[in-house]
Amino acid sequence: MIIVPDDPGPAGPDEMLKAAVREVFDGDGFLANVWHPYRQAWVECVSFRFAFIDAPEMGQPFGPEARDFLLGLIANKELRLDPVGKESTGYRPIDPYKRILCMAFLTEQMDVGTVDYYHAGKRGGGSVKRARPVTRNIELEMIVNGWAWVTEQYAFDREAEYFAAQDDARRDRRGLWAMDNPEPPWLFKHRQKRGRRDSEGQPRLI
């Protein structure tokens, strides 16, 4: 597995959420309890979706594998979540399915040993001589390990870095890129919707 060290920078209580992951739905969505800093209490069962990646649907090839990879990354862990507003949502960090759009960062101990990493647009490897905490970008880890696409519908500040990670995964045929022409999930969903619409428009045979 390739990890992606990142520095999300400081943020106030209105700019980030502390969340404890409860369930992973697929490769880009999950359920978590969220710490409410003003109430000093946990808000249970809030749905989240990553803002800038799109993983295979569960009915697509590699959909279950993408979910399982994300499950291994974040299940039962605490994350820093930075909500993301988009023009399509009126700059509110809520998608049409009432999920909070976010970027996710995981800070945990990096143990002594060898490590593969992706940082500043380059992939490398090395030896960790001293155990220490490291903060990682979960969206980029899903991309560079080959389990998600970068969303193409929206422009964002770090898209060059994200697309470079996707190109790296494609070159090495990691994850879903083991297929020659994997179908992006937005095209898959459009095709499924069109198929349902066409079938509903057909006259019934009695």
Side-chain angles (χ1 to χ4, degrees), residues 1 72-73 77 106-111 132-136:
M1 186 186 78
L73 289 181
K77 295 181 180 178
L106 169 66
T107 299
E108 64 179 6
Q109 186 84 344
M110 183 168 61
D111 294 327
R132 61 186 183 275
V134 62
T135 298
R136 295 155 44 191

Side-chain angles (χ1 to χ4, degrees), residues 92-111:
R92 296 173 63 245
I94 307 291
D95 78 357
Y97 302 99
K98 308 300 182 186
R99 299 171 298 187
I100 298 178
L101 297 167
C102 67
M103 296 179 68
F105 301 92
L106 169 66
T107 299
E108 64 179 6
Q109 186 84 344
M110 183 168 61
D111 294 327

Side-chain angles (χ1 to χ4, degrees), residues 109-122:
Q109 186 84 344
M110 183 168 61
D111 294 327
V112 172
T114 58
V115 62
D116 293 317
Y117 62 86
Y118 184 86
H119 183 64
K122 295 182 180 179

Side-chain angles (χ1 to χ4, degrees), residues 65-204:
E65 290 87 346
R67 177 200 57 201
D68 292 347
F69 188 83
L70 180 61
L71 188 71
L73 289 181
I74 68 173
N76 302 314
K77 295 181 180 178
E78 285 194 5
L79 303 175
R80 165 179 163 168
L81 303 178
D82 290 10
V84 175
K86 294 182 177 180
E87 184 177 0
S88 62
T89 63
Y91 297 102
R92 296 173 63 245
I94 307 291
D95 78 357
Y97 302 99
K98 308 300 182 186
R99 299 171 298 187
I100 298 178
L101 297 167
C102 67
M103 296 179 68
F105 301 92
L106 169 66
T107 299
E108 64 179 6
Q109 186 84 344
M110 183 168 61
D111 294 327
V112 172
T114 58
V115 62
D116 293 317
Y117 62 86
Y118 184 86
H119 183 64
K122 295 182 180 179
R123 187 160 50 88
S127 179
V128 179
K129 305 295 185 184
R130 184 181 48 149
R132 61 186 183 275
V134 62
T135 298
R136 295 155 44 191
N137 183 316
I138 298 302
E139 283 189 319
L140 274 172
E141 289 194 9
M142 291 295 293
I143 294 167
V144 80
N145 284 286
W147 298 115
W149 281 263
V150 184
T151 55
E152 295 184 355
Q153 298 94 323
Y154 315 102
F156 60 102
D157 291 344
R158 299 180 64 177
E159 65 177 28
E161 181 183 3
Y162 275 53
F163 279 114
Q166 179 172 293
D167 290 342
D168 189 272
R170 183 191 292 116
R171 278 194 302 270
D172 278 6
R173 299 180 72 89
R174 290 191 293 274
L176 62 87
W177 299 109
M179 297 178 65
D180 288 333
N181 293 295
E183 183 179 27
W186 54 89
L187 295 182
F188 174 80
K189 286 184 284 190
H190 178 72
R191 184 167 56 81
Q192 295 288 97
K193 184 184 294 185
R194 186 176 60 201
R196 287 193 300 270
R197 190 167 57 240
D198 290 347
S199 65
E200 289 167 1
Q202 295 296 324
R204 275 207 227 164

Side-chain angles (χ1 to χ4, degrees), residues 18-74:
K18 182 173 78 170
V21 177
R22 293 187 52 163
E23 182 180 352
V24 174
F25 301 131
D26 48 31
D28 52 39
F30 59 96
L31 189 73
N33 295 342
V34 179
W35 179 251
H36 196 297
Y38 302 114
R39 296 182 191 169
Q40 291 292 294
W42 289 93
V43 179
E44 296 192 353
C45 299
V46 181
S47 293
F48 290 90
R49 191 198 188 285
F50 293 127
F52 300 120
I53 69 171
D54 208 348
E57 296 293 302
M58 294 302 291
Q60 288 186 263
F62 295 107
E65 290 87 346
R67 177 200 57 201
D68 292 347
F69 188 83
L70 180 61
L71 188 71
L73 289 181
I74 68 173

